[in-house]
Amino acid sequence: MENTVWHVATRINAKLREHSFASLAQLRQAIHVELETYNAEPFQKRAGSRASVFRTEEEPLLRPLPPVPYEIATWVYGRKVAKNSHVVWQKNSYSVPYPNIGKTVDLRITPTMVEIYDGHDRLTSHVRVPTGTSGVYRTHDGDLPDGKGYQPWDEHRVRDWATRIGPNALTVVDRIFAAVPVTEQGLDPALAVLRLSRRFTAGRVEVACKIALEANIRSPRYSHVRPILDTGQDKTSTTVSSSSGEGGGYVRGAAYYGGGRSK
């Protein structure tokens, strides 16, 4: 094969080296003519020519080119499908058919698409969110369960839950949403706080949110509220606000250290 390429190049160069061309199109046309002449010449030791062998033996085996250009892809393995039926990649969320909730899937990333696979089976695909953008949801309606029983989490539903816990929980949620540039970025942090009411009582979470707010933390999160519940600070009758700003801690009242006894 390499010898043939060298032979063709040498022959065409020899034919055209004395010619001048005014444009690249003229040069291409001249090369095309010489190449056809070369391929049509009979073989010296067998019947036919290169052109006839191509038409009878090789051309029938050719397949059409793919309808879309080939794209280089990157694979990302072992991403878990969240309870909202989405998988996260580069801080953006892409929906997956809901029977796969809780499973791990693989992502095939191209410059334009995000394809989601379970082994060798492609579950779904999405137009890729532009690079540099975060907090965007790409959702196919068919990936979500049917019926009114399924409600995707959004800002309003989260605030309704916070309202049922109490005004301090609602204030914490409001501050979380106010602290993020895109509303969707506040969903997980807000839900992390509210889901504490499943492990602790709603009343305790409400008091813990109040303590966090009194500590002058601009936007209390799970990492602020959970330690209050774990250490039982919400059960004390007196809380003292910290004046150290965002990094402030929580101080139990005197009754706690005195065991509730008066001296």
Side-chain angles (χ1 to χ4, degrees), residues 58-159:
E58 298 175 356
E59 188 174 19
L61 301 178
L62 294 179
R63 297 180 179 180
L65 294 174
V68 295
Y70 176 78
E71 290 184 309
I72 297 176
T74 301
W75 284 87
V76 179
Y77 298 99
R79 290 299 177 95
K80 187 174 182 179
V81 181
K83 292 182 179 179
N84 63 358
S85 197
H86 287 72
V87 64
V88 178
W89 182 73
Q90 288 194 345
K91 299 182 180 180
N92 296 298
S93 299
Y94 300 87
S95 67
V96 183
Y98 70 91
N100 298 281
I101 290 175
K103 295 182 179 179
T104 56
V105 294
D106 303 326
L107 310 182
R108 181 178 181 269
I109 312 297
T110 74
T112 59
M113 299 292 294
V114 173
E115 299 176 330
I116 302 173
Y117 283 80
D118 178 13
H120 297 289
D121 299 326
R122 191 175 76 167
L123 302 175
T124 188
S125 62
H126 298 269
V127 176
R128 178 177 167 178
V129 176
T131 302
T133 305
S134 61
V136 175
Y137 277 70
R138 295 281 198 223
T139 305
H140 296 318
D141 291 340
D143 291 338
L144 305 181
D146 294 327
K148 298 180 180 180
Y150 176 80
Q151 293 180 333
W153 285 106
D154 57 20
E155 178 184 3
H156 301 292
R157 187 181 176 194
V158 170
R159 283 196 164 99

Side-chain angles (χ1 to χ4, degrees), residues 9-25:
T10 301
R11 173 167 177 157
I12 293 178
N13 286 338
K15 288 278 188 177
L16 301 179
R17 64 185 176 185
E18 301 296 334
H19 296 266
S20 298
F21 301 95
S23 66
L24 184 59

